[in-house]
Amino acid sequence: MSQEFVIEAFPRGDQGRGASRRLRREERKIPAIVYGGNKEATPISIWHNELKKALENEAFFSHVLTIELDGKKESVILKDLQRHPYKPLLTHADFLRVDKDHEIHVNVPLHFLNEDSAPAIKLQGGVANHQITEVEVICLPQNLPEFIEVDMAEVDMDKVVHLSDLKLPKGVRVAALLQGEDHDLPVVAIHKPRGAKVDDAEEGEEGEEGESKE
């Protein structure tokens, strides 16, 4: 993991809806909580705009983050994020403590490479149909990937890429596959558009009619 995210946090004593509203309105902070790791949950507050800016980076969601509170640092991952129903505001964040000896469950984005240049798309007129854009993985914190690549150049026409086809980094497992073959879901496939298939079928029929007349 090449990037590091450090979040400045502050102790939070008052709790409840009224206190949370004052926190957001008067201090431009949002309430949050750090829990797990065989420790008591710690209520904190963090700068709203700082978190909002960090969320613009896709890697923030699949990274081990650092919470800095009263000069002490803890490694965490973002487990839940609440937003205002109609305003562009964050309202609450949940962070889970992690340590290097215990596996974590994290949703990691999929990056689809070479989609425009894939032979089945560029040369054969196929269209990519994405079923999944992220996948839940299980791994130790130090093995957590920022993303998982899917090379579309290797996907033939009408071939379906399943979860079991993903090339995973060492020490990383797909959570769904641990539940059995029935959970080996499709990730992406390349098919010809429906209209193109009809046209191909009609051309084939016309060719057969011409041959029969001869």
Side-chain angles (χ1 to χ4, degrees), residues 38 43 52 80 84 107 111 114 127 132 165 186 197 210:
N38 297 320
K52 188 176 181 180
D80 190 43
H84 193 280
N107 286 334
H111 284 189
N114 301 315
V127 175
I132 297 175
D165 297 317
K197 290 185 177 181

Side-chain angles (χ1 to χ4, degrees), residues 139-193:
C139 63
L140 293 173
Q142 57 268 30
N143 294 331
L144 179 63
E146 289 185 16
F147 53 83
I148 294 173
E149 295 181 347
V150 182
D151 190 353
M152 299 298 291
E154 300 177 358
V155 183
D156 298 327
M157 182 69 73
D158 293 327
K159 177 183 176 182
V160 179
V161 178
H162 290 83
L163 289 175
S164 59
D165 297 317
L166 297 177
K167 296 179 180 178
L168 304 174
K170 184 178 180 181
V172 177
R173 296 171 290 157
V174 174
L177 296 180
L178 301 182
Q179 302 178 47
E181 295 181 0
D182 292 343
H183 295 269
D184 189 10
L185 302 176
V187 175
V188 65
I190 298 178
H191 299 297
K192 280 194 174 182

Side-chain angles (χ1 to χ4, degrees), residues 17-70:
R17 293 185 178 181
S20 295
R21 283 196 295 268
R22 287 193 299 273
L23 189 68
R24 289 189 287 265
R25 183 177 62 251
E26 298 175 9
E27 299 187 40
R28 305 302 182 191
K29 298 174 185 174
I30 65 167
I33 193 164
V34 180
Y35 67 98
N38 297 320
K39 297 180 182 179
E40 290 187 3
T42 304
I44 60 172
S45 64
I46 55 180
W47 295 112
H48 175 276
N49 288 347
E50 180 181 329
L51 179 60
K52 188 176 181 180
K53 184 176 182 180
L55 291 171
E56 295 175 359
N57 190 329
E58 178 191 59
F60 187 84
F61 294 90
S62 56
H63 247 70
V64 175
L65 316 171
T66 300
I67 291 281
E68 187 168 0
L69 175 66
D70 289 337

